Amino acid sequence: MDLRNNNNCYYNDYPIQGNGQQSNPYYNGAPGGYNGGPVPQQPPQQGNGRNGGNFLLGMVLGVALTTLVCGFTFVGVKVYEAVDSKNVSKKGTASSVVSDETEKKLEAIEEVIDEYYYQDADIDVDAMTEGMYAGMVDALGDPYSVYYTEEEWNDMMQETAGIYYGIGAYLMIDPNTGLGKISGVIEGTPSEEAGLRADDLLYLVDGESTMGMELSEIVSRIKGEEGTKVHLTIYREGESDYLEIDVERRQIEAPTVKYEMLENDIGYIQITEFDEVTTDQFTEALAVIKGSGAKGLVLDLRGNPGGSLNVVVDIARQILPKGLIVYTEDKYGERDEYTCDGRHELDLPMAVLVNGNSASASEILAGAIQDYNKGTLVGTTTFGKGIVQRVLPLTDGTALKLTISAYYTPKGNNIHGVGIEPDVVCEFDSDAYYDRDVDNQLEKAVEILGE
């Protein structure tokens, strides 16, 4: 995604409205929603292996020291009143986490901290309170559900009008490592000038690991004042060691649609994300392509991490025949359908480029095109995000982002965790692209249209 701290930096597909029927006095029923980036598991190992050795040594020493300390301090330590954790787990449900028992245990924990924690001056009660709220959401085990503090929520909703001070790269969370990953680089920006590439893993940002960070936190660390630099430690497949790259922050204008006419009267439209401005930009691009006498169209969704559900539906209505575009189902089995009247169905042969960084809203469009046989999908299997989140603002300025439903393609396929298989598999040749400026996947798409 791009490095704007706006809705689309959070891998978002958001539905139109929420019903706002909540009993919690903090809830104000404001609609809106977002899809968060995935949270994968293991980072690449540090090159010298030193950290692993230190950790093992520390663990051994820690166990030994703990045994000694406990042997001398256990006698005489008073027992703080708290409930049996087994009983709490039996009673605890999504609707009964807050109870007399849990309140009593929280008081006990607070009392222990107050009496024994030796760095009193470092205790931040507000941070502990926010951490408690965040931990409750984290315990859902859903990487897409997040608690936002007031500051985080304000940053997220900050209006930037497509202009920001950053490095000009699209970010997501890598599913295999849990690290930030560059899914695309904007042409003519500091990222391109510094030699960053799609699929580069952000191992460190200014010396801090991105492992386990929310995408919003990575974005905020990369953004900064114009003219300053951010130091990135990059893991790139095929390189023997990490790459150390300094990238200057500049004002970035991030178009979401790029188009041109290729040889043999083939039109080309690339959509990098589905933002509020994307519908108008796509409409203009399609009009120019048609007006230029295009005999076929390549729609490039590679590296597109998603965006607004409403926007992708509007774009689909300029391509698909009459019928269902996508539908969602929530926990109660309630179904919301998004349809097309078919009045603007595209009458050009089409090839759609996809890859492992094509996710969320881009999978909605690619899946519908494939289900209706409106185009040939070319490339590699898509990311596989088939669930929808909604952000629920609270009246104290904080907010919750929760997974609320799953979405399905017109034929009823939920691609979450699976992705969409292309009709024609074509692995990307990075050497050809970066060394000879040859896009083998695009060439394959043009070849298919020529047939």
Side-chain angles (χ1 to χ4, degrees):
M1 332 199 65
D2 69 25
L3 298 186
R4 292 174 288 169
N5 200 6
N6 64 9
N7 296 350
N8 290 307
C9 282
Y10 296 85
Y11 217 13
N12 305 331
D13 286 333
Y14 44 90
I16 298 174
Q17 285 280 350
N19 59 23
Q21 300 301 313
Q22 299 289 335
S23 59
N24 192 306
Y26 277 109
Y27 178 75
N28 65 6
Y34 303 87
N35 273 356
V39 179
Q41 277 96 38
Q42 297 296 329
Q45 296 300 312
Q46 182 72 291
N48 56 20
R50 186 173 53 195
N51 289 347
N54 288 342
F55 173 77
L56 181 59
L57 176 61
M59 183 178 70
V60 173
L61 290 175
V63 170
L65 289 173
T66 300
T67 303
L68 290 173
V69 170
C70 288
F72 288 108
T73 62
F74 179 78
V75 178
V77 174
K78 67 177 179 179
V79 178
Y80 288 85
E81 184 179 5
V83 294
D84 186 335
S85 60
K86 293 182 180 179
N87 291 334
V88 172
S89 64
K90 289 178 183 178
K91 296 179 181 179
T93 66
S95 60
S96 64
V97 172
V98 180
S99 65
D100 292 340
E101 289 85 356
T102 52
E103 287 181 6
K104 187 181 296 183
K105 186 164 184 175
L106 281 173
E107 290 173 359
I109 292 173
E110 186 174 32
E111 188 178 347
V112 172
I113 291 172
D114 183 58
E115 184 161 348
Y116 286 102
Y117 187 66
Y118 78 107
Q119 291 180 313
D120 274 353
D122 294 337
I123 294 178
D124 186 333
V125 175
D126 290 338
M128 290 175 68
T129 304
E130 296 290 355
M132 181 175 63
Y133 301 145
M136 186 173 178
V137 179
D138 289 342
L140 294 173
D142 175 17
Y144 301 97
S145 294
V146 181
Y147 169 80
Y148 293 114
T149 65
E150 184 174 4
E151 181 180 1
E152 290 168 341
W153 175 236
N154 287 336
D155 287 344
M156 183 177 173
M157 296 304 294
Q158 185 181 32
E159 292 294 333
T160 59
I163 300 174
Y164 65 98
Y165 297 109
I167 63 174
Y170 298 99
L171 295 184
M172 64 186 300
I173 301 295
D174 179 63
N176 298 315
T177 65
L179 299 171
K181 182 173 79 169
I182 295 176
S183 61
V185 174
I186 301 174
E187 186 177 347
T189 63
S191 286
E192 184 183 56
E193 296 166 7
L196 294 177
R197 299 180 180 181
D199 293 326
D200 281 349
L201 295 179
L202 302 177
Y203 183 55
L204 303 175
V205 176
D206 283 335
E208 277 199 69
S209 173
T210 66
M211 177 65 181
M213 282 188 185
E214 276 288 314
L215 185 58
S216 58
E217 187 176 357
I218 300 174
V219 169
S220 67
R221 292 177 186 275
I222 293 178
K223 286 172 56 180
E225 294 183 8
E226 187 173 19
T228 60
K229 292 184 178 181
V230 59
H231 184 77
L232 305 177
T233 302
I234 298 295
Y235 172 80
R236 180 178 294 167
E237 188 175 354
E239 296 290 340
S240 59
D241 203 354
Y242 292 92
L243 305 178
E244 305 291 342
I245 300 177
D246 288 313
V247 190
E248 182 182 3
R249 299 177 176 103
R250 295 207 301 259
Q251 178 173 301
I252 306 296
E253 296 186 21
T256 62
V257 176
K258 176 183 175 182
Y259 63 93
E260 62 179 310
M261 287 296 297
L262 306 176
E263 294 180 357
N264 301 321
D265 296 325
I266 299 297
Y268 171 86
I269 299 178
Q270 178 189 39
I271 305 176
T272 57
E273 62 179 323
F274 295 95
D275 204 349
E276 293 179 3
V277 298
T278 306
T279 301
D280 290 340
Q281 291 179 1
F282 178 80
T283 301
E284 177 185 349
L286 189 58
V288 171
I289 293 297
K290 287 181 176 180
S292 300
K295 297 178 181 177
L297 172 65
V298 176
L299 179 61
D300 192 348
L301 299 178
R302 292 175 297 179
N304 184 321
S308 165
L309 176 60
N310 294 335
V311 170
V312 73
V313 166
D314 286 342
I315 289 174
R317 286 170 178 151
Q318 301 184 51
I319 296 174
L320 299 178
K322 183 177 181 179
L324 195 60
I325 298 172
V326 64
Y327 67 92
T328 65
E329 281 190 4
D330 64 16
K331 64 188 290 184
Y332 305 106
E334 294 184 2
R335 176 166 163 166
D336 287 328
E337 297 185 349
Y338 301 82
T339 60
C340 176
D341 59 18
R343 290 185 298 172
H344 304 288
E345 181 180 355
L346 186 66
D347 59 357
L348 293 175
M350 182 167 48
V352 183
L353 292 173
V354 293
N355 64 9
N357 295 329
S358 304
S360 213
S362 58
E363 292 177 292
I364 288 176
L365 183 57
I369 290 172
Q370 186 179 62
D371 279 5
Y372 283 109
N373 295 316
K374 285 297 298 181
T376 302
L377 269 59
V378 180
T380 54
T381 304
T382 62
F383 182 83
K385 184 175 187 299
I387 52 178
V388 179
Q389 280 68 47
R390 173 168 292 155
V391 170
L392 305 171
L394 308 180
T395 56
D396 63 348
T398 62
L400 294 179
K401 179 177 67 178
L402 295 175
T403 300
I404 61 166
S405 60
Y407 76 72
Y408 298 82
T409 69
K411 288 187 176 181
N413 299 317
N414 175 252
I415 51 81
H416 188 64
V418 179
I420 299 172
E421 292 289 337
D423 302 303
V424 177
V425 175
C426 180
E427 296 286 342
F428 181 65
D429 188 340
S430 60
D431 291 336
Y433 184 81
Y434 292 109
D435 296 340
R436 303 190 303 276
D437 197 27
V438 174
D439 187 339
N440 69 302
Q441 290 179 325
L442 177 58
E443 288 187 344
K444 186 64 176 179
V446 171
E447 175 189 329
I448 290 171
L449 290 176
E451 295 173 352

